[in-house]
Amino acid sequence: MATATRKKTTRKKTTRKKTTTRRAKTDKKVYYFGPSKTDGDGSMKQLLGGKGANLAEMTDIGLPVPPGFTVTTETCADYYKVGGKLPAGLMDEVRENMKRMERDTGKKFGSDSDPLLVSVRSGAAASMPGMMDTVLNLGLTDKSLDGLQSATGKTRFALDAYRRLINMFGDVVMGVDHHAFEDEFDRIKKKHNAATDNDLGVEGMEELVDAYKKVYKKHTGEQFPQDPYVQLEKSLEAVFKSWNTPRAIRYRQINEITGLQGTAVNIQTMVFGNMGDDSGTGVAFTRDPSTGKNEFYGEFLINAQGEDVVAGIRTPKPVKEMPRWDRRSYDQLIKIKTKLEKHYKDVQDLEFTIERKKLYILQTRNGKRTGPAAVKIACDMVKERLIDQKTAVLRVPPNDLNQLLLPSLDPKAKRDVIAEGLPASPGAAVGKLAFTAAEAADRTQDGEKVLLVRRETSPEDIDGMHAAQGILTSTGGMTSHAAVVARGWGKPCVAGAGAIHIDEKKRKITVNGRTFTAKDTLTLDGGTGQVLAGEIATIEPKLSGDFATLMKWADRMRTLKVRTNADTPEDSQRARDFGAEGIGLCRTEHMFFEGSRIKAMREMIVAETEAARRKALDKLLPYQREDFIGIFTAMKGLPVTVRLLDPPLHEFLPHDAKAQQDLAKTLGIKPAKLKQRVAELHEMNPMLGHRGCRLAVTYPEILEMQVRAIVEAAMACQKKKVQAKPEIMIPLVGTAEELDLLRGLAEQTIASVKKEHKHKGRLDISIGTMIEIPRAALTADDIAEHADFFSFGTNDLTQLTFGYSRDDVGTFLGDYLAKELLPKDPFQSLDATGVGQLVAMGCEKGRKTKKDLKLGICGEHGGDPSSVEFCHKVGLDYVSCSPFRVPIARLAAAQAAVRNSK
Amino acid sequence: MATATRKKTTRKKTTRKKTTTRRAKTDKKVYYFGPSKTDGDGSMKQLLGGKGANLAEMTDIGLPVPPGFTVTTETCADYYKVGGKLPAGLMDEVRENMKRMERDTGKKFGSDSDPLLVSVRSGAAASMPGMMDTVLNLGLTDKSLDGLQSATGKTRFALDAYRRLINMFGDVVMGVDHHAFEDEFDRIKKKHNAATDNDLGVEGMEELVDAYKKVYKKHTGEQFPQDPYVQLEKSLEAVFKSWNTPRAIRYRQINEITGLQGTAVNIQTMVFGNMGDDSGTGVAFTRDPSTGKNEFYGEFLINAQGEDVVAGIRTPKPVKEMPRWDRRSYDQLIKIKTKLEKHYKDVQDLEFTIERKKLYILQTRNGKRTGPAAVKIACDMVKERLIDQKTAVLRVPPNDLNQLLLPSLDPKAKRDVIAEGLPASPGAAVGKLAFTAAEAADRTQDGEKVLLVRRETSPEDIDGMHAAQGILTSTGGMTSHAAVVARGWGKPCVAGAGAIHIDEKKRKITVNGRTFTAKDTLTLDGGTGQVLAGEIATIEPKLSGDFATLMKWADRMRTLKVRTNADTPEDSQRARDFGAEGIGLCRTEHMFFEGSRIKAMREMIVAETEAARRKALDKLLPYQREDFIGIFTAMKGLPVTVRLLDPPLHEFLPHDAKAQQDLAKTLGIKPAKLKQRVAELHEMNPMLGHRGCRLAVTYPEILEMQVRAIVEAAMACQKKKVQAKPEIMIPLVGTAEELDLLRGLAEQTIASVKKEHKHKGRLDISIGTMIEIPRAALTADDIAEHADFFSFGTNDLTQLTFGYSRDDVGTFLGDYLAKELLPKDPFQSLDATGVGQLVAMGCEKGRKTKKDLKLGICGEHGGDPSSVEFCHKVGLDYVSCSPFRVPIARLAAAQAAVRNSK
């Protein structure tokens, strides 16, 4: 049999450790919280559990929390130490604290007039959702049931509370199968012709309570306990036991929760918002979570329980209408709003209940908010001196800036989702369907708004992609061609929507039995990956002064520079507007796809001799030079990293027979010959084929033309008083020898172009390489000998380190994420564990050889906040990302700097 | 401008450092060797250079070496220290030693009766070929020319010697452009109607000498020196100067030759084998280099110079005929043979010259030999107590064993090479051309011998490949499908012969203007990659008793185990016969390609539900079980590593329309549906796609079937008293989570099959993984938690570490090797610098987690000697290779153990 020990140490989740105040162990087992006194505080998570510490904290700052107490985690540990018995003296302490609760609430546990009911909940120092269920309404007995009825005047309410207790106590504490209760409920509902639970009247409820008691007796052999303290003691013990069930142990193993001594138990007064028209319940935010405006915001329902607000059966009223109903509670809430923000230094999302005119706060936590709200709140709170600038910068999730930068779907609009793909490029787009790039370009010219729908796009589709409002593909991942190009333009894209079958010939798509043609309109939500039928209203972005303020702060805090990936003067200008400090990746291949350029490019590829290739390259030279002049001029002296030709040559040739025939005619060669050349260039795995610097090794003249174009452009700029700073980047280097050879060739070319033009001045041109092949990272010390800079190409590095093709990963990535074999899509968020090791190694080895080696990243990860933090920690000089992600990267870089300086 | 310092530290060649005896510096500048005394010896390479030390050594052991002396490397250093002047006293020492040479030879330098002529050669401690040319015949002047004529009676000979000296001295010492001499030669030949140099008579030669002197005068401004000591002094200085020419400096940089102080200079007596019929020259081996037989072996020519033997203008005679001509010299040679072997402990390849009945030995070095000879000589020398067993084992280059194991082309046969490809699988094959696998199979059945000729093969071609005598492909590398499969079978294969254009439809190939059809016969030499027209005679291999002896010694010395890659009982048996100690890689996919299996496989792939997949898998189960029973039985208790299904599913589906239609009919589904499934499975980069353990993640039922087949086969073997030892290997793991999940699934399956069969006994089944994804090596510590063993899949690891597709690397690998960007094909010989780092990391991290983790390698590198040495050093437990390479790996492992224990 297999002998390996199976340890679950590898499925790491985000850490759950928090620093808490450790205290010397005392004999005190129970910590009270309530108006008369509070024993604990928010720092005592280890001893009181997360929930217990929070309740103490809330009470401590004077919030009207229903009183209660917490049995410590140490007591749980003691329970196990003495072999699974409640420690001596525990129940005495519990009774003492129950007495105090009775005094604080004016109710009595088990009373037949106004009985105190309590909830019992587990609560460890780390969140362990679902470890143990809750028992509510504890303290109800036949006797106190009468009390509850008479105190509230609500017979059905009281009966319902009682049958719920019997059910929960039976199930959670005594292990009675809950189906046994449900069967009885069904039987009685049927008997009384009640369609839903709520249709069952008082008579039926009475029968139900009796029936539940019988179920309880039958399965436990005992009567349902009529002593409330027996209920309490058994519940307490059940919570302790739940700590070491196999399910709980497994949960802690998987999540690597270690060092805890046990769970605490929270016993708290029950309050009811459904005790009549003087009761109610609501949820509220201390500021508007949608706009960030500093006004109390929320909803409430009269005579209802908390779950009614959530369930949406009744329509709640806005809190500003509350004064008309209960001004005292409203005023109290407004005071609490201020108190909460002052204490927690952030917007709070709170739950409250009013039981017979008395306000209780049940929970408060930091409120979720939209991007624009997050920016406004952060800036306002600095103005209000609630927080400092660093805290403000940390408060805005970088990705939420997308909501400020791109159009988004109106959240109120109804959505008819027909498919979901990957959220490849954020923003919202509406249009009719176009099935080829040419069609998209044509129909756009005719004034139509279209979405380009393709299995996958290729460089040939560039024009149509640019013309379309948005792009939808049925295959391909987050870093497929469509996704990368779309993000570069800030154009919405949903990629890899696999459920959609595209019939290009019949010009229609089918998805789950529905068909859409060229006449139909769809909407893409690039932020979520949803594809929606029809036109959904969109909201245009607005940039506020607060945004500028926040970014100014962020820029002061960060140490990482932020560059952009851009291939045109327009993109370069846009990126500068977004704050880019240079171009980290200027791909030169995109430049070859337009009209007469692609013809010359194809001539070059089909050429059979070096001379013929050089002739074709001579035609490309002026285009390239103009491209670079445009980009250098737009960047006004900022560095521009130009990557030499990277993709395999076959990407530039047409693949269908008709287009090949046309091309053969244009080039004046035999179709068979062209076909043969296409076949020669075909590769089984083009990603691992003849591309990158391998092209320059076999066709040095391509490199020479590109370097010449760069040098001549830089000289032309110098004449215009623009100090161009090109950085020549040689892609796909795997051995120091490659870079040595090609650097030499580039240097020779620079020297000879300067000589030819009799150029006297200094040109600021450096030469470096991409680190995107694992072997390059492994041998970075050797490679650094020949490089002025490294730029980590983490797209390809991720492909090769994992052995995942970006174009094909869609076939299994979904399964991998669903089965938690990967924490995230590694093409979106840098895999620090594996790929990160190579990046770190590349940095370390590179700088060992050359202390001042400039280091950057130009993969898609450069715009991902968690990857940006990794880049900061590993010591890169800059990240580079698509223009629309530049502000996100700037903010993420600032957060990384703040977080890691602490 | 670019600022990186360009240092050439990366192009590492094999090390050139030898340990030599360092002596305290003395004033002695010249070391004599000759019959009267010898100052140096073979250990003094640093001081005397390689050549000088060897000459001293040869003289020292009593060989009749033409006497001479060596000016030390220290003197060269001194030359530079004093600013480029010959150190004081040097020429005095030179003259002294010249006098001794005159005494030892009975000739006089510059004499007009029997003049002493000398050669001047450079010689540093490290070999630097071509650093400086040689000057021969030094000492000839107008005066001594007469002496040479009268001493030899050969006027033309003497004139020819003189004109050669003027030419060489002018060119090498004085820097006269050698074209200037050649132009004169051409002019005079034309004048005398001489077609070749040899046609020029005495008269012409005299004119030539005069003309050369004029050229010399014109270009140097001086007369050709008539003082032989002037010639000598100038030549000496020229050699010293040659040490620091840019060419020499560059050569030392490239080859990382450091720590040398300069070059030595060797001045040695000239001897001539062409002084008449009492003179001659020859080359000989101390044993037969072809068979290894212990008899003097060689050839000689009367009245000829050494180059005449090599040039092949005259046909030399075998040395055994020598006694009839000059018994004394022959007897002397036989004595020298014994002396040489006793001294050098190895077969020697020597050059000799007889000048007027006097024998001189000019050079001796270790003799090259064939594989069979190497084995026999090694064993014989142990018997003769010349060497010990360890030395014998080190003496045979492991790859040369191929000559003992496979048929080879008769080296005497004439070769008409029509193309060269990669030597993908050694051995010789002859046959007519077959263009499809089916054709190859059919024609073989009809009794024809055929070669299968394909652009590239795929698993569908297996039958035809097996039937063919050999395989020829026009694309693909050393580890392409064709190459890997052919090596596994020991079948000759030439891969990637790019010059060959295959026209499958017209059933012909064209190559460099020649056409071959199905009726034509070609011969493949898998050992060299040559493709030859017509049928070349082949030699069948013979295994000698010496082979067994040598392998026995090797097995005792090695610590690495050697396993084999085998997928069938036949291969397993063959590998055992070759000494395999288990199966390191049993690929299961090959098992699915036969008749009814592939049908069930295809049903499985096309199935749309898990239930339908399971139904198809149930059909495959009995086949798999039988396969495993056969293999386990053949291996008789040795471990068998079974790799679960690895290739992407589309490899099992037909890709042309016709075959798809047929298949659709067979499977009873619509052709359109099958086409759609094929399209769905299409991948841009299948190497990086949905394969390996990724298949098991999405289709766990495949893994379950395979594990069930393994377990049931093991149980069936146990009943037959065969103790099967399967090792289940999960391929393409990149994350610990994958292995955790799939190991769990495999363990569950093992447990449930055992339970189902009520199996009580112990089954020896372990579970491990391949380390073939860079990320797996980087996270080997985590992965080892779930593995009993690692097997390094260095084929894929090399692909991913370099980013090279094995199938496509042919497009640029040639350029890379030619330009020395790669030292070797990394798919043949493990790249220790890059890939090796990951292997070492995998070993270290794996064993850190689990001290006794079993480590092996199953890539193609397992059969490459230098890779085997790497595996030994890095601490692997075993290597695994194709059956025919098992002996090679055994020998290489022994050599690694011996070399690294020193």
Side-chain angles (χ1 to χ4, degrees), chain A residues 812-823:
Chain A
F812 56 88
L813 186 60
D815 279 334
Y816 268 60
L817 294 172
K819 295 186 182 179
E820 292 191 35
L821 298 178
L822 291 171

Side-chain angles (χ1 to χ4, degrees), chain B residues 685-840:
Chain B
N685 297 286
M687 194 57 71
L688 307 175
H690 197 179
R691 68 184 195 93
C693 73
R694 300 166 198 170
L695 291 172
V697 168
T698 39
Y699 307 117
E701 53 276 10
I702 301 179
L703 177 142
E704 284 173 39
M705 183 280 282
Q706 294 201 290
V707 171
R708 171 177 290 270
I710 292 167
V711 178
E712 291 181 348
M715 294 190 306
C717 286
Q718 223 172 48
K719 278 188 196 144
K720 298 189 300 171
K721 304 287 172 210
V722 173
Q723 196 57 47
K725 271 178 93 168
E727 302 175 327
I728 296 174
M729 181 154 74
I730 295 170
L732 215 71
V733 161
T735 71
E737 287 77 6
E738 287 171 316
L739 187 58
D740 182 22
L741 177 78
L742 297 175
R743 183 191 180 97
L745 192 58
E747 284 178 342
Q748 276 168 29
T749 306
I750 295 169
S752 73
V753 174
K754 281 177 76 173
K755 200 175 158 189
E756 201 179 291
H757 289 262
K758 299 194 176 61
H759 185 90
K760 296 286 172 213
R762 204 176 151 279
L763 287 178
D764 193 359
I765 304 177
S766 61
I767 301 174
T769 186
M770 278 179 93
I771 304 290
E772 53 186 333
I773 298 275
R775 197 178 185 283
L778 291 163
T779 61
D781 41 355
D782 290 340
I783 289 176
E785 301 270 3
H786 313 287
D788 302 324
F789 62 86
F790 282 174
S791 178
F792 289 91
T794 47
N795 291 352
D796 274 8
L797 195 60
T798 299
Q799 291 200 93
L800 293 170
T801 307
F802 274 95
Y804 293 166
S805 159
R806 280 190 283 173
D807 298 311
D808 306 311
V809 74
T811 48
F812 56 88
L813 186 61
D815 279 334
Y816 268 59
L817 294 173
K819 296 186 182 178
E820 291 190 37
L821 298 178
L822 290 172
K824 284 182 188 177
D825 177 352
F827 291 107
Q828 275 188 271
S829 196
L830 189 80
D831 160 50
T833 316
V835 181
Q837 277 191 55
L838 287 176
V839 173

Side-chain angles (χ1 to χ4, degrees), chain A residues 1-11 455 501 676 679-680 683-690 693-694 697-698 735-738 740-741 743-744 747 750 754 763 765 767 773-775 778-779 782 785-788 800-805 807-808 811-812 815-816 819-822 831 833-834 837-838 841 845 850, chain B residues 1-11 455 501 676 679-680 683-690 693-694 697-698 735-738 740-741 743-744 747 750 754 763 765 767 773-775 778-779 782 785-788 800-805 807-808 811-812 815-816 819-822 831 833-834 837-838 841 845 850:
Chain A
M1 265 307 301
T3 52
T5 54
R6 304 189 65 219
K7 234 179 83 188
K8 263 292 183 179
T9 55
T10 47
R11 292 203 184 173
R455 242 180 89 80
H501 288 278
Q676 189 190 315
E680 275 171 19
E683 292 179 317
M684 297 286 288
N685 298 286
M687 193 58 70
L688 307 175
H690 198 179
C693 73
R694 300 165 197 171
V697 168
T698 39
T735 70
E737 288 78 3
E738 287 171 317
D740 182 21
L741 177 79
R743 181 189 183 99
E747 284 177 342
I750 294 169
K754 281 177 75 174
L763 286 179
I765 303 177
I767 301 175
I773 298 274
R775 197 178 185 284
L778 291 163
T779 61
D782 290 341
E785 301 270 3
H786 314 287
D788 302 325
L800 294 169
T801 306
F802 275 94
Y804 294 166
S805 159
D807 298 312
D808 306 311
T811 49
F812 56 88
D815 279 334
Y816 268 60
K819 295 186 182 179
E820 292 191 35
L821 298 178
L822 291 171
D831 161 49
T833 316
Q837 277 190 55
L838 288 175
M841 199 183 288
K845 291 191 172 195
K850 207 173 271 180
Chain B
M1 265 309 298
T3 53
T5 54
R6 305 190 64 219
K7 233 179 83 189
K8 263 293 180 180
T9 55
T10 47
R11 292 201 184 174
R455 242 181 88 80
H501 287 277
Q676 189 190 316
E680 274 171 19
E683 292 179 317
M684 297 287 287
N685 297 286
M687 194 57 71
L688 307 175
H690 197 179
C693 73
R694 300 166 198 170
V697 168
T698 39
T735 71
E737 287 77 6
E738 287 171 316
D740 182 22
L741 177 78
R743 183 191 180 97
E747 284 178 342
I750 295 169
K754 281 177 76 173
L763 287 178
I765 304 177
I767 301 174
I773 298 275
R775 197 178 185 283
L778 291 163
T779 61
D782 290 340
E785 301 270 3
H786 313 287
D788 302 324
L800 293 170
T801 307
F802 274 95
Y804 293 166
S805 159
D807 298 311
D808 306 311
T811 48
F812 56 88
D815 279 334
Y816 268 59
K819 296 186 182 178
E820 291 190 37
L821 298 178
L822 290 172
D831 160 50
T833 316
Q837 277 191 55
L838 287 176
M841 200 182 291
K845 291 191 172 195
K850 208 173 270 182

Side-chain angles (χ1 to χ4, degrees), chain A residues 578-618:
Chain A
F578 280 131
E581 295 159 300
I583 291 180
L585 177 61
C586 174
R587 301 179 184 87
T588 51
E589 52 269 22
H590 291 172
M591 301 171 177
F592 292 125
F593 277 100
E594 281 167 35
S596 38
R597 298 170 173 212
I598 187 130
K599 193 185 157 215
M601 189 70 189
R602 287 168 168 174
E603 268 178 42
M604 194 273 291
I605 294 168
V606 174
E608 289 190 322
T609 63
E610 190 189 317
R613 263 195 304 279
R614 284 192 185 275
K615 211 175 129 192
L617 286 165
D618 284 347

